[in-house]
Amino acid sequence: MAEQELLARLRGALKREPGAPIPPVPGVPAAARLVNTDDDLVGRFTAAAQAVGAEVLIVAEDELARRVDALLSEADAERIAVAAETGLAPRDDGGAPFDLDAGGTAVTAAIAETGTLVIDSGATPQTWSLLPPLHIAVVPEARIVPDLLDILPGSDTATQPSARVLVTGPSKTADIEGVLITGVHGPGRLVIMVVRVCAD
Amino acid sequence: MSAPDRRPHPLFPILPHRIVEQIPGALADAQLQRFVGVTTRLKDAKRAQVLADTYGDDLDALRQAAGAVKQHTLDHLDHYLERWIAAAHDHGAEVHVADDGAAARRICVDIAQAAGATRCVKAKSMVTEEVRLNDALEAAGIRTVETDLGEYILQLDGDAPSHIVTPMIHKDRAAVGRAFERELGAPYSEDPATLTAVARAELRTAFAEADLGVTGGNFLVASTGAVVICTNEGNGRLSSTAPATRIALVGIEKVVPDMASLALMLKLLARTSTGQPLTVYTSIATGPKRTDEADGPDSFHVVLLDNGRSDILADPTFRSALRCIRCGACLNTCPVYRRTGGHAYGAVYPGPIGAVLTPLLRGGEAYPDLPHASSLCGACHRVCPVEIDLPGLLIAHRRRQITARQIRWRERLVHHLWAWSLRWRWAFRFSGWLQRWLLRRRADADGFVERAPGPAKAWTEQRSLPAPAAVPFRRWWRRWARARRRDDG
C-alpha cells in the first residue's frame, strides 16, 4: 500500500525502526504567550481587530438587535442571512449565497492577542461569513480568550468541526504593486459586535 | 486563452540553468529593479519592526523553539506522518501518496475524473507549481482557474510567479490592465481597486460553478489529521468550501506534531512574512463535510507529495532545509534576490531557500551556480523563523561540488595555489610580494585597481580592488614596535 511504502522509505531515510520510541516534542516557550487572562481582554481584542481593518462596536445585550438593524439599513443590505446562534432573529433570504449583501454569524470564540474570530463549520453555512461583502460577527464578551495558545492546543480532541477558520480582519490583498485592497473574495467589511452583558 | 509567445516556462528552463546568465538582463530591467527592490525592502522592514515590537528580546528564543519543533518532527517524520494519516482517515479524509510529480498529476486527475469534475478552482500553492498540476488538469479537460489574485493575473498573462508569497511582485498595473483588456474584454484600467473588482466578479462565477477545489497546505497537524492553509483573500476558503470535491496537495515535510506546535508556527509565520499577526484566514480542515454541517466538500482528498523530499530527509547535512514554512522572509532580505528577482533562479522556489532546495530537488548539475549566488552575508539565517542555517547549507553545496569534482580546472588550480601559499611561510611571503608587484603598479591615484591582470580581470568588472599596501603588515608592525621601544626606553 502506498502509505506503507512511503513510511518504510522514511524509516529507511531516518534509520529508524518501526515503533521506535521518540523523545517528547520540544515545548512552546512561555514567551510565546502574548496576552494573559488578567489583561483587559475587550480592550486588547478591540485594538488588535481595528489594527487589521475590522470595525469593532461594543454594545449592550439589549441593544444588539437594534444596532445590527441600523448597520444593515445604513449599508443598504437587502439580501441578508443571519444565523440563529447570534441570538438575533434568524434570517435567510434564500437564493444563491453568492448574492447575499450581508451575513451575520456567531463565533465559537475570539482571540484578544490578534483580534481574531474563531468560526466553526456547523448548522450555519460557512459561506455566510465569507461570501457577502459585509460580515457582521456577534461576539459575547465572555467568548474572548486571551491568546492563540488558548484556542489551538485545546482542540486536539476527537470531536471537532470539519472546518475551523480563524478570521483576522477583512479580506485583503496587495498583489498589484503592493497597493492594499480590501474585499477581494471574502468580505471587504467586517463589523464585530462585542456584546457586554451589563452595560456599565 | 492566448499564449503571448512561445518562451520556455520561466520556472522550468532548459537545463543546466545558470543564474549568472540571467543577471545582466535582470539588472538592466529598470522596472524589476524598482518593484522588487522597493517591495522586498518594505516587507523586510515591516517584518523587523513587527517582530521587535511583538517579541522584543524573546524573538530568538522563539525562532530556536520553532526550529527545534520542526527538526524534531523531521527527525521522526515516519512517526508523525503515520499519526497524521490515521487521524485523517478517522475524520473521513482520503489520503493518497505521490512519489513524484508525475504520480501527483495522475492521482489528482484520477480523483477529478472519478468525481466527474470539469471545473476546478485553485488556491495558490507552490507544490502545485512544482508538479505542474494545472497543465495536467487542463490536458484532461478540466478547466482550471487560479483564484489567488496574483496567480490569476499571472495565469491570464501567461506569466509565472517570482516570489513564494507575493507572486507578481515583478508586474506593474499597466500590464494587468492590458491582460484584462485582452483576455476578459474589460475596459482598460490601471487602477488596482478597479482591476481587483474585475477579477473578483470573474472569479465569483468560477467559484459558483466549480466542482473541484485544489489547494496546497501550509501545515499538517499529526494529532488531529488537519490540513491548515494560511491565506488573505478568501479564495483559499472558497476553494475549500464551495466545490463538492476538495484536493489538498501537500509536501510530506509540512507535518507538525500537535496544535500547540501549530500555534507556535502561526505566531511566527505571518508576522515574519508580511507583518500581520495572522493571515486573514487560517483554515483548519479535518475531513469532508459532516452530516450535521450546512456546507463543505462532500469528499476531501489529501495527496502527500514526496518528489525528492525523502532523499533530502535521508541526508543529515541538508535535512534542516525541510523545516521551511515558506514565509518568504529570506527572499525579502537577500541582497541577491532583491536585485535579480525570482525568475532569474529558473526554479519554483527562488531566493536563499530556493538556492538550497533546488539543487536537492532537481539535481546539483542542473543548477550548478545557485549555491554561488550568495555573498554568505547571513541575512537569510538571521530572519528565518525556523532557524535554517542557509549560509551553512550553501557552503555544504559548494563543498559537495568540490568533492564531486564538479568545478572547473581553473578554480581547482586557484584552490591548490591558495592552499600552497598558506602552507609555508616563504610561500606566503612570496605570494604577498607577487600581489604587491602585480597590483600596486596598476593602482590609480586613490589606491584602487580598476582592471586586475589576466583571468582576475573578471573580478574588477563590477568592483574596484583596493591595491595592497606598500609594506606588509608584519614588517610595518616590527618597525612600529621598534620605534615604540625606542621612545619608551
Side-chain angles (χ1 to χ4, degrees):
Chain A
M1 199 181 150
E3 289 158 19
Q4 293 308 319
E5 281 171 30
L6 172 65
L7 294 173
R9 194 180 328 135
L10 296 180
R11 279 192 273 272
L14 296 166
K15 300 190 173 38
R16 271 174 45 80
E17 297 299 314
I22 71 166
V25 184
V28 177
R33 170 173 284 282
L34 294 169
V35 182
N36 297 292
T37 34
D38 49 4
D39 289 324
D40 168 20
L41 297 185
V42 173
R44 293 286 298 251
F45 174 78
T46 304
Q50 288 171 338
V52 291
E55 297 166 51
V56 182
L57 303 173
I58 302 175
V59 304
E61 202 172 13
D62 51 10
E63 49 166 354
L64 174 64
R66 188 179 51 76
R67 297 289 293 270
V68 169
D69 285 340
L71 195 58
L72 289 169
S73 75
E74 156 214 304
D76 281 330
E78 289 176 8
R79 312 280 307 286
I80 298 167
V82 177
E85 298 98 348
T86 56
L88 298 162
R91 185 167 167 183
D92 182 359
D93 288 349
F98 282 85
D99 296 332
L100 289 172
D101 298 319
T105 72
V107 303
T108 304
I111 305 174
E113 176 207 339
T114 48
T116 296
L117 306 172
V118 181
I119 298 177
D120 291 339
S121 54
T124 304
Q126 295 164 72
T127 50
W128 286 10
S129 62
L130 176 56
L131 284 173
L134 166 62
H135 173 211
I136 301 172
V138 177
V139 179
E141 182 185 357
R143 295 219 187 138
I144 302 177
V145 304
D147 196 279
L148 186 63
L149 289 166
D150 297 308
I151 286 291
L152 288 183
S155 47
D156 278 285
T157 56
T159 52
Q160 48 189 303
S162 71
R164 159 167 287 184
V165 63
L166 309 178
V167 179
T168 311
S171 147
K172 52 174 74 95
T173 184
D175 273 343
I176 303 179
E177 289 195 18
V179 176
L180 188 68
I181 311 277
T182 47
V184 193
H185 302 294
R189 197 169 164 218
L190 170 59
V191 180
I192 304 175
M193 323 275 295
V194 175
V195 184
R196 296 207 114 126
V197 172
C198 35
D200 292 354
Chain B
M1 195 189 303
S2 58
D5 44 312
R6 298 224 132 271
R7 290 166 301 191
H9 194 298
L11 308 187
F12 295 94
I14 298 163
L15 300 174
H17 173 80
R18 294 195 157 75
I19 188 174
V20 75
E21 290 166 11
Q22 306 298 315
I23 288 171
L27 292 177
D29 184 340
Q31 178 179 299
L32 183 78
Q33 293 303 306
R34 203 169 60 245
F35 278 32
V36 176
V38 167
T39 307
T40 49
R41 282 177 172 78
L42 279 173
K43 290 232 140 58
D44 189 49
K46 186 95 198 281
R47 170 201 57 79
Q49 181 223 317
V50 165
L51 286 175
D53 290 348
T54 308
Y55 296 118
D57 294 333
D58 294 324
L59 176 61
D60 284 347
L62 291 172
R63 290 170 53 238
Q64 299 278 2
V69 166
K70 270 282 185 166
Q71 190 65 37
H72 166 86
T73 314
L74 292 167
D75 291 341
H76 308 94
L77 189 60
D78 61 305
H79 167 88
Y80 287 111
L81 203 50
E82 190 168 27
R83 285 194 66 190
W84 183 87
I85 292 170
H89 279 145
D90 285 345
H91 289 109
E94 292 183 54
V95 180
H96 313 256
V97 173
D99 291 343
D100 57 21
R105 290 193 297 272
R106 186 179 38 79
I107 290 168
C108 291
V109 168
D110 286 350
I111 295 169
Q113 289 176 333
T118 55
R119 285 181 302 261
C120 174
V121 284
K122 266 192 80 239
K124 186 173 100 62
S125 160
M126 298 319 291
V127 278
T128 61
E129 303 278 347
E130 189 185 321
V131 307
R132 309 191 75 170
L133 180 61
N134 290 15
D135 293 343
L137 291 172
E138 292 277 353
I142 299 156
R143 182 159 181 264
T144 303
V145 180
E146 290 285 352
T147 62
D148 172 273
L149 180 65
E151 294 281 358
Y152 173 67
I153 292 167
L154 293 170
Q155 183 186 37
L156 220 50
D157 207 23
D159 197 348
S162 70
H163 189 292
I164 60 182
V165 175
T166 49
M168 50 174 270
I169 190 175
H170 61 282
K171 217 165 177 65
D172 64 318
R173 61 187 78 187
V176 181
R178 284 194 303 275
F180 279 18
E181 185 184 37
R182 190 183 70 235
E183 304 291 338
L184 305 175
Y188 181 80
S189 167
E190 286 181 13
D191 172 47
T194 308
L195 293 168
T196 306
V198 170
R200 178 180 163 48
E202 288 285 325
L203 289 169
R204 274 174 101 77
T205 314
F207 285 124
E209 295 175 348
D211 42 25
L212 171 65
V214 173
T215 72
N218 289 80
F219 302 100
L220 298 171
V221 184
S223 60
T224 58
V227 178
V228 182
I229 61 174
C230 303
T231 62
N232 286 304
E233 298 175 11
N235 61 312
R237 275 180 81 189
L238 275 172
S239 303
S240 318
T241 311
T245 306
R246 176 184 175 187
I247 301 174
L249 179 64
V250 190
I252 54 175
E253 82 282 21
K254 297 299 185 75
V255 183
V256 294
D258 50 30
M259 287 302 215
S261 305
L262 175 68
L264 177 60
M265 297 301 150
L266 293 178
K267 275 173 173 278
L268 288 171
L269 176 57
R271 288 180 172 114
T272 307
S273 186
T274 56
Q276 300 167 281
L278 291 173
T279 57
V280 178
Y281 304 108
T282 304
S283 307
I284 304 169
T286 46
K289 158 181 167 349
R290 310 227 204 293
T291 41
D292 56 346
E293 289 176 347
D295 56 7
D298 297 320
S299 65
F300 181 28
H301 299 259
V302 183
V303 182
L304 299 171
L305 180 70
D306 184 348
N307 206 24
R309 286 155 174 77
S310 56
D311 291 329
I312 302 175
L313 196 70
D315 190 336
T317 307
F318 287 106
R319 185 182 302 168
S320 61
L322 295 176
R323 294 184 194 179
C324 177
I325 59 176
R326 306 283 193 265
C327 69
C330 61
L331 276 66
N332 294 336
T333 204
C334 177
V336 174
Y337 178 89
R338 282 182 181 172
R339 283 190 164 68
T340 64
H343 288 171
Y345 289 75
V348 172
Y349 305 104
I353 187 62
V356 170
L357 279 179
T358 306
L360 297 169
L361 291 173
R362 315 250 5 248
E365 283 161 62
Y367 291 86
D369 64 359
L370 275 189
H372 299 275
S374 168
S375 62
L376 304 176
C377 70
C380 50
H381 186 191
R382 205 69 199 85
V383 304
C384 179
V386 286
E387 266 281 313
I388 303 173
D389 180 9
L390 291 161
L393 296 179
L394 290 171
I395 293 174
H397 270 309
R398 297 181 189 185
R399 193 177 295 123
R400 292 257 169 116
Q401 286 180 336
I402 292 170
T403 327
R405 302 187 76 75
Q406 279 166 13
I407 58 169
R408 289 200 294 242
W409 69 265
R410 272 186 284 265
E411 201 180 327
R412 270 208 302 282
L413 180 63
V414 170
H415 289 173
H416 282 306
L417 288 173
W418 197 345
W420 170 85
S421 77
L422 292 172
R423 203 169 288 141
W424 297 289
R425 184 191 288 194
W426 65 265
F428 184 76
R429 284 153 84 168
F430 171 72
S431 102
W433 170 86
L434 189 64
Q435 286 174 61
R436 284 193 299 281
W437 179 72
L438 282 173
L439 294 173
R440 285 191 57 78
R441 56 222 281 251
R442 285 175 165 79
D444 61 18
D446 297 318
F448 283 90
V449 176
E450 299 298 338
R451 196 172 179 283
K457 79 169 175 359
W459 231 81
T460 44
E461 262 160 29
Q462 306 272 355
R463 342 167 155 73
S464 307
L465 186 63
V471 176
F473 176 78
R474 283 181 336 280
R475 202 188 308 158
W476 175 90
W477 176 262
R478 275 199 300 275
R479 290 183 193 165
W480 180 85
R482 211 179 299 138
R484 273 282 303 273
R485 281 198 298 275
R486 263 204 308 272
D487 295 343
D488 293 346

